[in-house]
């Protein structure tokens, strides 16, 4: 389903994405508009960190919201994750190894499926988060938008 999200656009090296995550967490805590306990958490991957120059890497850190986000000092903006069909795979464990699920969808599943990609990037829904959840117990759904 279509989901309204508050977004902090990370632009730059994947190695420093946690700095952007920290800014987004600060926004979540101070604004109260996307409480982590009752809102969904997403990441939108515009680029492959393994093949994109670090300074060109783009990734959106997102939290679902029910109303538009006003201007704020952290630079969090409004976007929409469009509704539609997706292939979904569940990843268990560290986010550092989530690329294996993305590669499986693109390299193995998609060519054999007969499906076509929709014009929206691969995205993640984080079903639980650190530090509340130990890294080895993290669960993330990987969505590949389809026509």
């Amino acid at each position: 389903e279509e989901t309204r999200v508050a977004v902090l656009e990370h632009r730059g090296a994947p190695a420093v994405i946690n700095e952007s995550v920290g800014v987004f967490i600060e926004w979540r805590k101070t604004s109260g508009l996307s409480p982590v306990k009752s809102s969904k958490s997403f990441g939108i991957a515009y680029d492959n960190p393994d093949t994109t120059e670090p300074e060109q890497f783009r990734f959106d850190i997102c939290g679902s919201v029910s109303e538009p986000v006003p201007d704020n000092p952290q630079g969090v903006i409004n976007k929409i994750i469009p509704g539609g069909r997706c292939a979904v795979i569940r990843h268990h464990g560290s986010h550092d190894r989530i690329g294996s699920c993305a590669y499986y969808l693109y390299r193995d599943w998609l060519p054999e499926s007969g499906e076509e990609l929709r014009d929206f990037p691969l995205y993640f829904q984080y079903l639980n988060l650190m530090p509340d959840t130990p890294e080895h117990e993290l669960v993330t759904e990987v969505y590949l938008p389809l026509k």
Side-chain angles (χ1 to χ4, degrees):
E1 64 185 47
E2 181 176 283
T3 306
R4 178 192 302 250
V5 287
V7 174
L8 183 68
E9 296 177 318
H10 174 82
R11 303 297 184 257
V16 295
I17 198 166
N18 282 338
E19 292 175 20
S20 295
V21 169
V23 172
F24 188 73
I25 290 170
E26 175 190 329
W27 173 83
R28 269 187 144 166
K29 288 178 178 178
T30 59
S31 74
L33 294 176
S34 182
V36 74
K37 297 284 187 208
S38 59
S39 301
K40 296 177 180 178
S41 298
F42 298 96
I44 302 173
Y46 295 93
D47 300 303
N48 180 342
D50 297 332
T51 59
T52 303
E53 290 296 322
E55 62 277 0
Q56 301 298 317
F57 180 72
R58 301 168 300 150
F59 188 88
D60 286 353
I61 302 155
C62 315
S64 64
V65 290
S66 58
E67 59 188 69
V69 174
D71 289 345
N72 57 83
Q74 294 87 4
V76 173
I77 61 172
N78 294 285
K79 289 191 180 181
I80 299 283
I81 296 175
R85 294 177 60 239
C86 293
V88 183
I89 190 169
R90 187 166 276 189
H91 173 76
H92 296 269
S94 170
H95 296 156
D96 293 340
R97 292 188 291 280
I98 205 164
S100 61
C101 288
Y103 283 129
Y104 168 77
L105 285 171
Y106 279 114
R107 289 182 181 165
D108 300 326
W109 181 84
L110 185 62
E112 295 176 11
S113 71
E115 296 283 355
E116 290 183 58
L117 295 177
R118 190 164 21 111
D119 189 20
F120 192 77
L122 178 126
Y123 64 97
F124 308 104
Q125 182 179 354
Y126 305 104
L127 302 183
N128 53 18
L129 298 166
M130 291 186 355
D132 298 332
T133 304
E135 188 174 41
H136 69 280
E137 293 180 13
L138 292 172
V139 179
T140 307
E141 290 185 339
V142 182
Y143 289 79
L144 185 64
L146 304 172
K147 286 186 179 178

